[in-house]
Structures are given as C-alpha cells and as structure tokens.
Amino acid sequence: MKSKQELREQFFNLGWKKEPQGESVFEFLYQASKDIPDHSIVLDLGAGECRYQFFFEHAHYVPVDFGKGGAHWDFSDIKIFGDITNPQFIQDDSVDFVINTVTLEHLNEPRSFLDHVYRVLKPGGKIFLYVPFLAQEDQIPQDFYRYTSYGLHYLLSDVGFEESVITPTNGAMYSCVTLSQHALSLVPEDTAWTTFVKKCMKSIVGGLVKPGFIYLDQFNYMRMPMCWTVEAKKKGAFIPY
C-alpha cells in the first residue's frame, strides 16, 4: 500500500482544494483504505471514472457502473457495466466492502440499491458512502436527492446496517462561503460593470471572508455541511482473508 503522503498527493492532484471538505474526504478515503485488508474484494458501485481506485490498489478493486455521467467521461477502467440499482449479476454474500462516492443522489430508488448492497456484502462487511447535502443539480436529469444525516441513518438501519457513523465534511461557515463562491461563478459577465462587481466580490469572498469563515468553523455546530461521509456494517462477524 502507498504511503499516506503519496495517496494525499494523488488525491489533491485530482483537483481537490486543501480546505476542510477536501481534507475530510481524503481522511475518509484514507481510513477506509487502511481498514480494508489486503486481497479483500472491494466493489465500487457507481465508480464513474474510478477517480479513487488508487486508494485500494492493495485489494481486489472491482469498479461497476451503468455508463451514465458527464458527456466526456472516460469509462475505460470500468470492469463491469450494469444496472447498479439492480445488480442481480452479483452474488449474495460475495463482497467484502462496497464503495459509493457521490452516486447515491443519482439513484431514483436508493432504498432498493442499499438492499442490494446489503445482500452482496459478506457478514460484517462494510459500505463506505460519500453523499452530498448542499450541492447544485448535477448530471441532469439523473439527479434525484440530497440527504440529511437522519435520512441516511434511517435508510441504512431500515435495510439492516448497524454501527452507522455519519460525519460532516465541514461546518456551516465553510458551506456558506463555498455556496457564495459558486453563486458568484454563475453570474454572467455580460457588461463591464457586472464583470467589475463580480471580480471585486470574488476577491473579497475568497481573500478576506473565506479564511475567517474556515477559522470560525471550529467553533460551529456542524449540521450544515456540503457533504457527509458514512461508514456502516452488515450484521455478523467479518472474516478476513
């Protein structure tokens, strides 16, 4: 397995910013990779372009996708193309771990999907989820849900998962300034005045407001994050290879 520094470098080379959300997602994926023993079967359901496969090179990483996404996505690393909402092609109790990153919101039947995840996991196996709470619509029209921590806990426990750990990726202050930056990016620069005001606001928000908001997040009750990271376990005792 690669060192933490090597994994960190690859992760941030994907375009992540070294800010609270990026740091949280990295730590989540890094801890997941550490928890997964060598030679385990890791099923990445909704793998897309397999952006995070380098975290799981010590395991048998199996990316699965239904081939939907951005117009220019590269699906060449996908090993199995199929309907991840109804993966009847995967046997019961055959997988050690399941990864699902920013995909659950694109599934119109999330409960059915989680039922299948529970079915294919071995006893004691885990699912690792990365799920948005505050995010713009994406991959339209295949975008259906945003999740609260309570909604995620309900879905997982109703399916049968236990020991669910749901963690915010950042605090409300960071979410506020991130959404402000995104809103500014959507303002059209169709006049010189609009362009000037937008440029000034971006400088103020990014240069002055954002560092202060990130600092204040450590004192904030973190119930308004951009995303959640989730770990949940199927009932039973896990037997590693």
Side-chain angles (χ1 to χ4, degrees):
M1 182 176 173
K2 294 177 180 176
S3 69
K4 184 174 184 178
Q5 185 56 41
E6 288 175 311
L7 292 172
R8 180 180 172 83
E9 185 175 336
Q10 279 191 262
F11 176 80
F12 284 104
N13 281 342
L14 294 173
W16 284 96
K17 295 180 180 179
K18 295 179 181 179
E19 295 175 352
Q21 186 184 12
E23 297 286 358
S24 294
V25 174
F26 169 75
E27 286 296 333
F28 171 69
L29 291 170
Y30 175 67
Q31 290 300 322
S33 69
K34 283 182 62 179
D35 289 347
I36 293 173
D38 291 353
H39 312 302
S40 299
I41 299 174
V42 178
L43 193 68
D44 190 344
L45 285 174
E49 296 185 289
C50 306
R51 282 164 56 85
Y52 306 120
Q53 64 178 318
F54 56 88
F55 281 96
F56 310 105
E57 290 177 351
H58 61 293
H60 295 300
Y61 174 79
V62 183
V64 183
D65 203 275
F66 39 24
K68 299 176 183 178
H72 304 293
W73 282 26
D74 179 6
F75 293 106
S76 59
D77 287 334
I78 296 297
K79 292 182 179 178
I80 301 174
F81 282 96
D83 184 358
I84 66 171
T85 64
N86 187 28
Q88 298 290 348
F89 46 88
I90 303 173
Q91 295 181 352
D92 295 2
D93 305 318
S94 61
V95 176
D96 298 302
F97 300 92
V98 169
I99 308 293
N100 183 262
T101 58
V102 286
T103 302
L104 196 65
E105 71 275 20
H106 297 295
L107 306 180
N108 60 347
E109 296 291 344
R111 167 59 198 262
S112 175
F113 169 77
L114 291 172
D115 275 331
H116 280 292
V117 171
Y118 196 88
R119 173 183 64 80
V120 304
L121 276 172
K122 296 176 182 177
K126 291 182 178 180
I127 181 172
F128 296 96
L129 289 161
Y130 165 44
V131 187
F133 176 54
L134 298 174
Q136 69 170 346
E137 291 180 323
D138 183 35
Q139 297 179 34
I140 299 168
Q142 301 297 319
D143 195 354
F144 302 102
Y145 301 102
R146 297 295 178 268
Y147 293 92
T148 66
S149 60
Y150 299 98
L152 288 167
H153 186 270
Y154 171 78
L155 280 172
L156 290 163
S157 53
D158 196 45
V159 166
F161 284 100
E162 58 184 15
E163 300 180 20
S164 299
V165 179
I166 302 172
T167 307
T169 59
N170 58 272
M173 302 298 282
Y174 177 82
S175 293
C176 180
V177 74
T178 300
L179 291 172
S180 296
Q181 287 182 307
H182 177 65
L184 281 171
S185 73
L186 300 178
V187 175
E189 299 182 9
D190 49 3
T191 68
W193 176 243
T194 301
T195 301
F196 173 73
V197 172
K198 179 178 177 179
K199 184 176 180 180
C200 290
M201 290 299 296
K202 286 176 68 176
S203 297
I204 293 170
V205 173
L208 298 176
V209 176
K210 192 169 192 174
F213 273 35
I214 290 175
Y215 172 76
L216 290 174
D217 251 350
Q218 64 184 303
F219 307 108
N220 187 58
Y221 188 60
M222 299 169 72
R223 280 293 166 196
M224 200 176 78
M226 298 301 296
C227 299
W228 309 99
T229 57
V230 184
E231 177 182 331
K233 185 175 81 73
K234 181 176 178 176
K235 294 176 181 177
F238 180 69
I239 301 176
Y241 285 94

